[in-house]
Amino acid sequence: MSARSHGSGSSSGSIGAAGSGVDPDDLPDGLVIADARGRIICFNAAAARITAVPKAVALGAPLEQALPLEDLKGRRWWTLTDPYGGLAIRHGQPERNLLLPGGREVLVSARYVRERPTGPVRRLVVSIRGTEARRRTERSHAELIATVAHELRSPLTSVKGFTATLLAKWERFTDDQKRLMLETVDADANRVTRLIAELLDISRIDSGRLELRRQPVDVVAAVERHVQAHTASGQDPDRFLVRIRQPLPDLWADPDKVDQVLGNLLENAVRHGEGTVTIDVAAACAKNDEKGTGVTVTDEGPGIPEESMGRVFTRFWRGSKRGGTGLGLYIVKGIVEAHGGTITVGRGPRGGAEFRFILPVGAPAYLAQ
């Protein structure tokens, strides 16, 4: 790319602000605009921060001089794309990873503004973003893949081993031995099924596609169901204390999702906590003072360290005791927020962990009339 002349550009760096009412310095991404001569007439604060080029240095300078970008193979990007002298049918460049001097990576896209479809470029608008957010996402995806691979390896190895052994030596085992092996295979298959269900939930939460099938939900009955399931599996009934403060508002929510939230919170309290697990259910104010139902699950264990409170609902967080994928509470938060509710974590009256979620009533419009 070559600048057409050496005329100076605007010194304000606020091109278009008066017409749109938007100050370029208020934009979260870097904005660089070059005129028809290839000189920079707008260089906002985000561009200066991301590129470490002072605005005063960039304004009026040739674009290729102020932003000597290279692709990942070390080639000059402005020379490759040649926005002013290249094909007249081009209208821009898609976002791609480029390198600043020193090797710092940035995401850059460009738009060619022409007075007519195949006319000369009147302005070149460049968007610059840092790669930190994308790198965090990539790391998160890599961690998810590694976790899934690790969690799948153990049950699948077990399933493969037991089924291969049974097929090869069926007659050598007693009925009790066969039953034990098949029960182990069944338990490991359930573990794989749960992991796949968690992955699907995460995908839907991250993409905003978590579907809710709202209907009347009896929260008290749901709590009692989960407590009975724990006592049936060997927990002492005296370990659970359920306190209901009537009256409760009618709640419209997805019953399966509410069950998932309650099941996860109670499982955490039983597995990681100690002493009595207390479940309080009462009317509560949801966001915007909307009527709602609040459920608090508290245990009497050591609680969650203060420095970990902010990470409880993130992916892969696990308590002091290992086990599980570390995805459950991330999913719980996604479900509660999909209902328009809130969930918090804190320390209970006796030092244990305290989880509290509030779901708005969520009644259909025709019932509110």
Side-chain angles (χ1 to χ4, degrees):
M1 183 196 79
S2 60
R4 303 296 179 84
S5 74
H6 296 282
S8 63
S10 167
S11 62
S12 66
S14 57
I15 186 77
S20 64
V22 177
D23 187 340
D25 286 343
D26 293 336
L27 298 176
D29 294 336
L31 174 66
V32 181
I33 300 177
D35 62 15
R37 300 167 297 182
R39 291 187 173 267
I40 296 176
I41 58 174
C42 176
F43 199 83
N44 73 348
R49 172 177 52 80
I50 294 169
T51 63
V53 176
K55 179 186 291 190
V57 172
L59 288 173
L63 190 58
E64 61 183 357
Q65 177 182 315
L67 289 178
L69 295 166
E70 296 181 350
D71 66 10
L72 301 183
K73 295 181 179 180
R75 299 174 297 184
R76 296 277 184 173
W77 193 59
W78 298 118
T79 303
L80 283 176
T81 57
D82 194 10
Y84 290 95
L87 292 175
I89 58 173
R90 287 182 179 163
H91 54 77
Q93 296 290 332
E95 186 175 74
R96 65 190 63 196
N97 288 45
L98 296 174
L99 299 176
L100 290 165
R104 185 178 180 187
E105 198 170 349
V106 289
L107 298 169
V108 179
S109 59
R111 175 77 177 173
Y112 305 161
V113 180
R114 304 177 188 273
E115 292 185 358
R116 59 183 187 277
T118 58
V121 173
R122 180 168 56 90
R123 278 185 182 170
L124 181 64
V125 182
V126 181
S127 172
I128 304 175
R129 293 193 297 138
T131 59
E132 293 82 3
R134 177 173 290 188
R135 293 299 183 207
R136 283 194 298 269
T137 300
E138 290 173 351
R139 282 196 300 270
S140 179
H141 288 166
E143 289 173 358
L144 182 59
I145 292 171
T147 298
V148 170
H150 175 76
E151 293 294 329
L152 285 175
R153 183 181 298 131
S154 176
L156 289 179
T157 300
S158 171
V159 167
K160 177 63 177 175
F162 278 121
T163 53
T165 301
L166 286 170
L167 287 171
K169 304 176 181 179
W170 180 266
E171 296 81 5
R172 300 186 186 181
F173 296 108
T174 65
D175 288 345
D176 287 342
Q177 289 173 325
K178 293 173 184 176
R179 176 178 292 276
L180 178 61
M181 289 185 185
L182 290 173
E183 286 175 348
T184 304
V185 168
D186 183 63
D188 285 331
N190 287 336
R191 183 175 163 189
V192 172
T193 301
R194 284 195 302 271
L195 178 59
I196 292 172
E198 286 182 341
L199 293 176
L200 289 173
D201 285 334
I202 286 176
S203 173
R204 293 176 184 128
I205 289 169
D206 287 348
S207 63
R209 294 185 294 106
L210 187 67
E211 293 184 4
L212 301 178
R213 295 177 173 85
R214 292 181 185 267
Q215 53 188 284
V217 175
D218 187 339
V219 177
V220 176
V223 169
E224 290 174 347
R225 253 193 335 270
H226 283 281
V227 170
Q228 288 170 3
H230 280 286
T231 56
S233 65
Q235 290 292 328
D236 186 346
D238 291 336
R239 190 177 180 190
F240 299 93
L241 173 61
V242 179
R243 299 188 296 205
I244 312 298
R245 188 177 302 171
Q246 298 286 3
L248 293 174
D250 295 330
L251 176 64
W252 284 69
D254 187 317
D256 292 336
K257 297 293 189 291
V258 172
D259 266 344
Q260 195 172 349
V261 171
L262 289 172
N264 192 290
L265 295 182
L266 283 176
E267 178 69 25
N268 277 352
V270 170
R271 179 183 297 178
H272 302 294
E274 299 171 4
T276 301
V277 175
T278 303
I279 304 103
D280 289 291
V281 184
C285 281
K287 291 186 292 188
N288 301 321
D289 293 328
E290 183 180 358
K291 286 196 303 182
T293 299
V295 179
T296 305
V297 178
T298 311
D299 64 68
E300 298 176 347
I304 299 169
E306 200 70 33
E307 63 272 14
S308 298
M309 290 285 188
R311 297 186 287 110
V312 167
F313 296 110
T314 59
R315 291 182 184 181
F316 313 118
W317 183 86
R318 295 181 177 93
S320 56
K321 298 178 182 177
R322 304 293 290 179
T325 60
L327 300 174
L329 289 175
Y330 177 83
I331 294 171
V332 162
K333 183 174 186 287
I335 290 173
V336 170
E337 291 182 347
H339 280 85
T342 58
I343 183 166
T344 56
V345 61
R347 191 169 294 278
R350 299 191 178 183
E354 178 180 280
F355 288 90
R356 175 174 171 80
F357 70 91
I358 300 175
L359 298 180
V361 169
Y366 68 86
L367 290 179
Q369 295 176 352

